[in-house]
Amino acid sequence: MNLSVLCFGEIVSDLIDGGNGGLVCKVGGAPLNVAVALKRLGERCALVSSVGGDWFGANAVSYLKSNGIKHFVETIPATATRTAVISHDRKKERAFQFSPGIAAENALSARQIESVKSPRFGVLYFGSFPFARGKSLSAFKRFVCRARKSGIYTVFDPNIRLSVFDSADSARAICKELAAISDVVRLNVDEILLLTGVAASSGRRMAAIEKAASVLTVMGPRVAFITDGGNGSYMYHDGRCEHQEPFQVRAVDTTGCGDAFTAAVIAKYFNKGRLGFAQPTEILRWANAAGALAATRLGGADSMPTKIQIENFIESRSRGGDKGKKKVLSTEMSTRFKSKGRIT
């Protein structure tokens, strides 16, 4: 039986540097990207979000309809849909410029959250954007706790962009509260160090990640998946840390790589409705492949791979398809704190 996943969070219009002096508009936002990825992996999913009364919002809703994504998206006329101008350096590292400071997803009210009526689902996925200013956090926590009591698993992706929070301390506090009500957390290495306060030294990266993951799981989640760009990915569970090397690809755009990774984790980790059904190495290899494929295409949602594409990619690499490829990444670059400097 396929999964039924409810994705909850922001919709963003990504304005990406196309490399020729112009910007390419792509529909994105982590929850939307994950919903599209899950759909392409053959899972049942729905998206709960809000957009502004502008062209960007209407375009996003049209995109969801054309891709067959079940959605509960409210249009809030007096607000704007969030946009993100995304630029790349020579190493394909990203920098973000978000606007406006407070956008449609921040206008989600407690009443809106309480009124969410969704079809039966087994997994609830969410991020931090709608609660970055602290609004409606208590109402959403109540919503999540009710879901967990009814046997629904929860997956939290902090997706921290400091410019949308009041401060780094605020980001840390809000994300800790959301992590505490999660079964699974998926985050990058910078985020886990930020949330746990563990410092990483260049020579003991693995040890730092393992220590940070152990601290994080004490907060509430039973499992942590950590992406570390060209260093691969990790799964921390039952007091031990598993590592998987990255695939080698020629990156075009790393936007959405982490979201492809997350969707693949959800599809594999909750396989057949059983928590942790697949082996850690299988989950990480599958998710790394999804992230690698996303890196070879422009945009967030548009770059999400299908199940057969992931399977064919892994099979080709098993036959030696890595030869001659430039090692770039398989999950995502650590660029989320770039706008205000790196925080550890």
Side-chain angles (χ1 to χ4, degrees), residues 19-161:
N20 57 357
L23 295 175
V24 178
C25 182
K26 295 285 187 178
V27 175
L32 184 147
N33 293 343
V34 170
V36 171
L38 286 167
K39 175 77 172 180
R40 293 180 182 174
L41 292 176
E43 310 296 351
R44 291 185 295 117
C45 61
L47 174 69
V48 176
S49 188
S50 58
V51 294
D54 49 23
W55 179 87
F56 293 114
N59 182 57
V61 172
S62 176
Y63 182 90
L64 290 168
K65 290 179 179 178
S66 64
N67 281 271
I69 306 296
K70 190 175 183 66
H71 57 279
F72 304 86
V73 178
E74 181 175 9
T75 298
I76 305 176
T79 64
T81 307
R82 188 177 297 283
T83 60
V85 176
I86 304 173
S87 57
H88 299 82
D89 62 19
R90 288 182 299 176
K91 295 182 179 180
K92 302 302 179 183
E93 294 264 15
R94 299 164 298 164
F96 296 83
Q97 290 180 292
F98 289 102
S99 87
I102 297 178
E105 77 273 5
N106 302 125
L108 278 172
S109 67
R111 177 178 294 180
Q112 287 172 289
I113 294 171
E114 296 290 346
S115 68
V116 170
K117 305 295 182 191
S118 63
R120 186 179 181 88
F121 60 97
V123 177
L124 172 64
Y125 162 88
F126 55 93
S128 65
F129 264 54
F131 320 106
R133 305 290 172 170
K135 184 178 179 181
S136 300
L137 179 59
S138 296
F140 184 71
K141 286 170 63 178
R142 290 194 297 271
F143 175 76
V144 173
C145 289
R146 286 199 304 271
R148 296 183 81 190
K149 286 181 180 178
S150 63
I152 295 167
Y153 295 114
T154 51
V155 179
F156 174 46
D157 175 6
N159 192 28
I160 299 173
R161 311 290 191 214

Side-chain angles (χ1 to χ4, degrees), residues 284-300:
L284 292 175
R285 185 169 174 78
W286 179 268
N288 281 0
L293 282 168
T296 63
R297 305 163 189 168
L298 188 68

Side-chain angles (χ1 to χ4, degrees), residues 32-34 36-38 40 255-261 263 290 293-294 297 299-306 309:
L32 184 147
N33 293 343
V34 170
V36 171
L38 286 167
R40 293 180 182 174
T255 305
C257 292
D259 303 326
F261 180 97
L293 282 168
R297 305 163 189 168
D302 283 348
S303 70
M304 298 297 103
T306 65
Q309 287 171 340

Side-chain angles (χ1 to χ4, degrees), residues 187-237:
L187 66 182
N188 69 28
V189 65
D190 284 341
E191 290 168 339
I192 196 169
L193 297 177
L194 172 69
L195 296 187
T196 61
V198 174
S201 62
S202 58
R204 296 179 56 82
R205 195 173 189 83
M206 173 72 172
I209 290 173
E210 186 167 2
K211 180 180 179 181
S214 68
V215 172
L216 182 67
T217 52
V218 169
M219 297 178 187
R222 65 182 74 181
V223 180
F225 289 91
I226 305 103
T227 55
D228 192 15
N231 294 312
S233 60
Y234 305 82
M235 175 180 175
Y236 185 87
H237 64 110

Side-chain angles (χ1 to χ4, degrees), residues 308-338:
I308 190 66
Q309 287 171 340
I310 296 174
E311 290 173 345
N312 290 341
F313 178 84
I314 292 176
E315 183 180 357
S316 69
R317 294 310 172 92
S318 297
R319 297 196 304 264
D322 275 345
K323 293 180 179 178
K325 298 289 185 180
K326 182 179 179 182
K327 185 174 181 179
V328 181
L329 57 94
S330 68
T331 50
E332 67 178 328
M333 295 296 186
S334 298
T335 59
R336 297 188 173 181
F337 304 147
K338 206 166 177 116

